[in-house]
Amino acid sequence: MATTKAPEDAYTAEPFVPGKAGALAELREAAAGCRGCPLHRAATQTVFGAGAQDARVMLVGEQPGDQEDRQGRPFVGPAGKLLDRALAEVGIDPGEAYVTNAVKHFKFTQAEPRKRRIHKQPTLRETTACGPWLAAELALVEPELIVVLGATAGKALLGSSFRVTQARGTVLEREIHGRPERLVPTVHPSSVLRADDREAAYRGLISDLRVAADALE
């Protein structure tokens, strides 16, 4: 497949997104060649969403982490394992959800080649550049509910004024990319792993996810 070319300063994935994709596999194949922003240069590979196209719930996180970048699948690292446990606890089958990230390439800092790669938050410009992929995923999956995991995902879907602390654990109804959507924001599971009181942070995540589970019933 020929690689689409875009200006180095374009900062948009739009030229790489298939106009009439009928399946997620088509999007995933096209995304592997995305050069819509500079993040692709250092990343190992594009990390596209995973799950069934008819999934009732879509979970949207920030960006892939170190393990996701190496394996090419979202939420396979420690945060993903914690999220799977939390979903199962509230009665949402992780295997029946579609999981993805607002940004499809791993952004990191690394002082030395053999040192651990440290996650670096994507900018609003980078998140916006990746927006066409998320819009295409939403158009194909058409979820009944979107679980928004953290501030970056929230800003990608709801605008730069989004604050996860104000909106978490509530059901929001908004028009996203021309389609009415229901969304439940919560924290990103990685924040639970970083919390001083990890148990309290986990219970807060569970409380928010119960709202999502109830909204699906």
Side-chain angles (χ1 to χ4, degrees):
M1 183 176 65
T3 301
T4 304
K5 293 184 178 180
E8 288 294 317
D9 60 350
Y11 268 91
T12 178
E14 192 66 46
F16 302 89
V17 180
K20 296 182 179 179
L24 289 168
E26 295 177 53
L27 290 181
R28 187 173 293 107
E29 181 181 1
C34 185
R35 303 292 182 267
C37 82
L39 291 185
H40 72 89
R41 298 172 187 161
T44 303
Q45 59 193 313
T46 303
V47 181
F48 204 69
Q53 189 162 318
D54 61 353
R56 295 180 63 203
V57 59
M58 177 185 283
L59 297 109
V60 181
E62 179 187 271
Q63 66 160 343
D66 180 76
Q67 290 302 312
E68 289 78 8
D69 175 68
R70 297 179 192 279
Q71 297 183 41
R73 289 178 59 82
F75 288 96
V76 294
K81 291 179 173 60
L82 184 143
L83 178 61
D84 284 350
R85 177 162 64 94
L87 290 170
E89 187 169 330
V90 302
I92 298 175
D93 185 347
E96 295 181 359
Y98 183 84
V99 293
T100 192
N101 284 297
V103 175
K104 311 301 188 195
H105 286 109
F106 179 34
K107 182 177 182 179
F108 60 92
T109 58
Q110 187 175 24
E112 298 177 23
R114 295 186 179 182
K115 294 291 185 180
R116 184 168 63 93
R117 299 183 300 175
I118 306 299
H119 161 278
K120 188 175 181 180
Q121 185 174 347
T123 65
L124 181 60
R125 189 182 187 193
E126 290 159 347
T127 303
T128 302
C130 218
W133 290 118
L134 185 56
E137 289 173 293
L138 282 167
L140 286 182
V141 178
E142 296 184 322
E144 295 177 30
L145 185 73
I146 303 169
V147 176
V148 183
L149 300 169
T152 297
K155 290 177 181 179
L157 289 164
L158 297 163
S160 59
S161 64
F162 172 82
R163 297 293 182 270
V164 67
T165 53
Q166 297 173 2
R168 65 179 297 181
T170 61
V171 180
L172 306 178
E173 296 187 1
R174 299 286 190 276
E175 185 171 297
I176 309 292
H177 301 300
R179 172 185 144 87
E181 303 283 4
R182 292 190 305 154
L183 310 95
V184 174
T186 186
V187 296
H188 195 283
S190 63
S191 71
V192 176
L193 297 175
R194 297 192 303 268
D196 292 333
D197 189 340
R198 189 177 295 186
E199 181 59 28
Y202 180 73
R203 299 322 303 177
L205 174 63
I206 289 293
S207 177
D208 295 342
L209 291 178
R210 287 198 193 282
V211 173
D214 290 344
L216 285 168
E217 291 183 355

